[in-house]
């Protein structure tokens, strides 16, 4: 074999191979964490990121590397790298059974903590009915089953039932069939219900199924995904709440473990590890990123629920109260009275709040120009945006942004 021999000398440059699929948000964030470790510690590594990592597994004998950090969610990759004579660190989903852990240092998602983060978020919204949209069991998605077990366990502990639907793999030739079955499951759920999806991609399926069945999100179905994937989030009209995993920290911890191995600090060579198990690091999630899909309020009146749904969808398009009345289909006085009883304020005020909240969010979380913020939030001009902020906060938009940044 042509694997490099470790000299054990400090200061030498090591050749490191990263085996990840950079097309996946999870893997990209792990790689980013690895890069941060390299920058913060100034280690002298010559890093090679494989473009097609699986293709090179057939040519392992000709690799000239000192260490590897790899995605061990892939069983083929795990099997190929498990007994190499060089340091290898695995990254992936966490598995409850010890036999499922590879015999290498391993950094994994704390799936119980991830699911609990989503579950507690939905509970805090006042929801008492829960469901989980998972993934069909297979060797590449062992973490999906663990997340399923986590939500079932959490619900049972609190005395709640949890409906579980695993669905089908996403394939072009079965897409419509799969979505029809998912829609049927959505229709079978009680209302209101909080649904946790195993990934953001599966959460987007839920949003599409709710649209297909006319189930209002979040008033009837509140949805939380996992990954905080901006691609999945931006493909849906309803912005998706999601649990942000600690992928960045996973990459950082994986690089740290490999660094210790390479320098023979705290982690022995594989031949010396017979007496004890290799280190395993579970990384908790960063937290929940709350967006529109879980902006649930415990409303009882069907007409108010419909009105609230329309306001959330169209407030920033410059709608007036009359358009909400037309959508719901009852008299203005009747709907206004119902709305005040349920929400404590008028329909006009709700439209105002929706536009203002979006403007505040864009100000504090983006570098968008004020003219674009005004337009995106349904204000006719920058001057109008300034007038709203001065009246509501006693500050200009720029002052509001500056003060919000200073507070953080």
């Amino acid at each position: 074999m042509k694997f490099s021999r470790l000299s054990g000398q400090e200061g030498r440059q090591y050749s490191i191979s990263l085996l990840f699929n950079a097309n996946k948000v999870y893997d990209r964030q792990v790689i980013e964490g690895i890069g941060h470790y390299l920058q913060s510690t100034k280690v002298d590594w010559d890093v090679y990121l494989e473009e097609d990592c699986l293709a090179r597994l057939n040519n392992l004998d000709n690799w000239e590397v000192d260490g590897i950090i790899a995605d061990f969610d892939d069983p083929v990759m795990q099997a190929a790298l498990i007994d190499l004579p060089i340091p290898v660190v695995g990254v992936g989903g966490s598995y409850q059974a010890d036999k499922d852990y590879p015999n290498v240092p391993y950094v994994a998602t704390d799936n119980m903590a991830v699911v609990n983060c989503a579950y507690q978020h939905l509970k805090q919204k006042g929801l008492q009915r829960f469901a989980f949209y998972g993934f069909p069991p297979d060797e590449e998605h062992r973490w999906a089953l663990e997340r399923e077990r986590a939500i079932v366990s959490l619900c049972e502990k609190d005395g709640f039932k949890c409906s579980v639907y695993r669905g089908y793999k996403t394939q072009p030739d079965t897409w419509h069939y799969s979505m029809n079955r998912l829609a049927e499951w959505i229709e079978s759920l009680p209302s209101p219900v909080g649904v946790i999806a195993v990934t953001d991609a599966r959460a987007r399926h839920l949003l599409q199924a709710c649209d297909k069945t006319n189930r209002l999100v979040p008033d009837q179905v509140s949805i939380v995904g996992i990954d905080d994937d901006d691609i999945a989030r931006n493909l849906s009209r309803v912005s998706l709440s999601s649990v942000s995993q600690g992928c960045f920290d996973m990459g950082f911890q994986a690089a740290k473990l490999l660094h210790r191995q390479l320098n023979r600090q705290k982690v022995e060579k594989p031949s010396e590890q017979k007496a004890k198990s290799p280190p395993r690091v579970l990384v908790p999630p960063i937290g929940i990123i709350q967006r529109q899909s879980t902006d649930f309020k415990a409303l009882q009146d069907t007409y108010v629920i419909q009105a609230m749904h329309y306001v959330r969808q169209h407030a920033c398009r410059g709608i007036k109260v009359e358009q909400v009345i037309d959508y719901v289909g009852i008299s203005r006085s009747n709907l206004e009275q119902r709305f005040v009883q349920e929400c404590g304020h008028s329909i006009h005020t709700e439209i105002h709040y929706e536009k203002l909240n979006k403007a505040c969010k864009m100000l504090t979380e983006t570098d968008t120009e004020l003219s674009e913020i005004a337009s995106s939030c349904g204000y006719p001009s920058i001057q109008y945006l300034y007038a709203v902020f001065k009246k509501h906060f006693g500050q200009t938009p720029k002052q509001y942004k500056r003060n919000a940044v200073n507070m953080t």
Side-chain angles (χ1 to χ4, degrees):
M1 303 185 83
K2 296 184 179 180
F3 292 113
S4 298
R5 299 293 182 182
L6 299 182
S7 67
Q9 298 175 353
E10 294 288 347
R12 66 154 291 189
Q13 185 180 59
Y14 293 111
S15 177
I16 306 301
S17 185
L18 305 183
L19 305 182
F20 292 94
N21 182 355
N23 292 322
K24 298 192 299 183
V25 62
Y26 181 98
D27 288 28
R28 290 198 304 272
Q29 292 175 2
V30 170
I31 295 169
E32 186 179 358
I34 295 171
H36 183 70
Y37 183 85
L38 303 186
Q39 297 298 323
S40 62
T41 60
K42 307 299 182 183
V43 295
D44 189 13
W45 289 0
D46 180 20
V47 177
Y48 182 69
L49 178 62
E50 300 283 353
E51 294 182 2
D52 188 355
C53 50
L54 290 177
R56 284 201 62 195
L57 292 180
N58 297 324
N59 195 31
L60 280 173
D61 289 350
N62 293 319
W63 283 25
E64 296 185 359
V65 294
D66 298 303
I68 296 172
I69 304 177
D71 176 8
F72 268 45
D73 279 335
D74 189 314
V76 175
M77 187 176 298
Q78 178 180 323
L81 303 178
I82 201 72
D83 293 318
L84 293 185
I86 60 170
V88 174
V89 175
V91 178
S94 60
Y95 313 128
Q96 295 170 338
D98 287 342
K99 65 179 179 63
D100 289 330
Y101 283 102
N103 189 33
V104 298
Y106 187 62
V107 182
T109 302
D110 188 340
N111 285 315
M112 175 58 79
V114 166
V115 173
N116 188 49
C117 185
Y119 175 63
Q120 296 300 330
H121 173 67
L122 293 173
K123 280 180 59 181
Q124 290 169 6
K125 293 292 182 179
L127 291 162
Q128 297 184 346
R129 303 184 184 96
F130 302 93
F132 181 80
Y133 178 34
F135 204 90
D138 63 35
E139 285 299 306
E140 294 184 12
H141 298 87
R142 291 172 286 188
W143 43 266
L145 184 57
E146 186 169 340
R147 293 176 186 178
E148 177 185 316
R149 290 169 178 161
I151 185 58
V152 170
S153 173
L154 290 167
C155 286
E156 287 180 349
K157 182 179 179 181
D158 289 339
F160 299 129
K161 291 183 179 180
C162 180
S163 174
V164 174
Y165 181 69
R166 294 173 177 171
Y168 301 85
K169 291 183 178 180
T170 304
Q171 296 175 328
D173 55 339
T174 59
W175 171 249
H176 292 293
Y177 176 84
S178 300
M179 287 302 296
N180 287 336
R181 301 293 78 75
L182 179 61
E184 291 172 357
W185 178 65
I186 287 291
E187 287 188 307
S188 74
L189 296 177
S191 178
V193 61
V195 187
I196 299 173
V198 71
T199 63
D200 279 356
R202 303 293 265 187
R204 193 167 66 84
H205 298 174
L206 290 172
L207 291 172
Q208 291 174 280
C210 286
D211 190 52
K212 180 182 180 70
T213 58
N214 295 316
R215 298 295 294 270
L216 304 182
V217 178
D219 307 278
Q220 295 174 325
V221 183
S222 291
I223 300 171
V224 180
I226 297 172
D227 281 338
D228 194 30
D229 185 350
D230 56 348
I231 295 178
R233 183 173 71 246
N234 293 328
L235 286 175
S236 302
R237 186 175 69 252
V238 176
S239 59
L240 178 66
S241 295
S242 183
V243 178
S244 179
Q245 296 190 67
C247 303
F248 181 91
D249 190 40
M250 290 173 67
F252 189 91
Q253 295 297 332
K256 186 176 181 179
L257 283 177
L258 183 60
H259 190 190
R260 288 177 177 176
Q261 283 188 289
L262 292 171
N263 291 324
R264 301 181 181 175
Q265 298 171 351
K266 300 182 182 180
V267 179
E268 297 84 358
K269 294 184 297 184
S271 61
E272 299 173 340
Q273 293 178 355
K274 296 178 180 179
K276 67 175 185 177
S277 299
R280 298 168 187 163
V281 180
L282 284 182
V283 177
I286 296 173
I288 186 81
I289 310 300
Q290 179 177 336
R291 300 187 180 93
Q292 190 177 358
S293 69
T294 58
D295 189 18
F296 172 77
K297 297 177 182 177
L299 303 175
Q300 302 298 322
D301 191 302
T302 301
Y303 293 120
V304 175
I305 291 174
Q306 293 176 17
M308 187 69 78
H309 177 74
Y310 188 83
V311 169
R312 289 196 186 102
Q313 296 294 311
H314 302 285
C316 294
R317 298 180 181 178
I319 62 168
K320 305 296 183 182
V321 174
E322 289 74 15
Q323 292 167 269
V324 182
I325 304 296
D326 290 341
Y327 175 79
V328 177
I330 61 175
S331 70
R332 177 165 186 157
S333 60
N334 190 356
L335 182 58
E336 286 281 16
Q337 183 179 10
R338 290 169 180 269
F339 205 93
V340 172
Q341 287 177 344
E342 282 271 357
C343 303
H345 54 256
S346 68
I347 300 172
H348 174 79
T349 300
E350 184 64 31
I351 295 173
H352 164 68
Y353 284 157
E354 191 71 24
K355 294 163 65 176
L356 185 60
N357 287 338
K358 181 175 180 180
C360 291
K361 191 176 182 68
M362 292 184 70
L363 276 170
T364 56
E365 297 182 5
T366 73
D367 294 323
T368 307
E369 295 291 335
L370 287 179
S371 58
E372 187 175 343
I373 292 177
S375 176
S376 298
C377 298
Y379 297 116
S381 65
I382 294 180
Q383 291 75 18
Y384 198 98
L385 178 67
Y386 266 80
V388 169
F389 267 75
K390 288 290 287 185
K391 181 178 180 179
H392 196 86
F393 299 112
Q395 305 174 44
T396 66
K398 290 183 178 179
Q399 289 171 332
Y400 179 89
K401 180 183 180 71
R402 183 166 58 249
N403 291 335
V405 171
N406 291 336
M407 288 179 63
T408 57

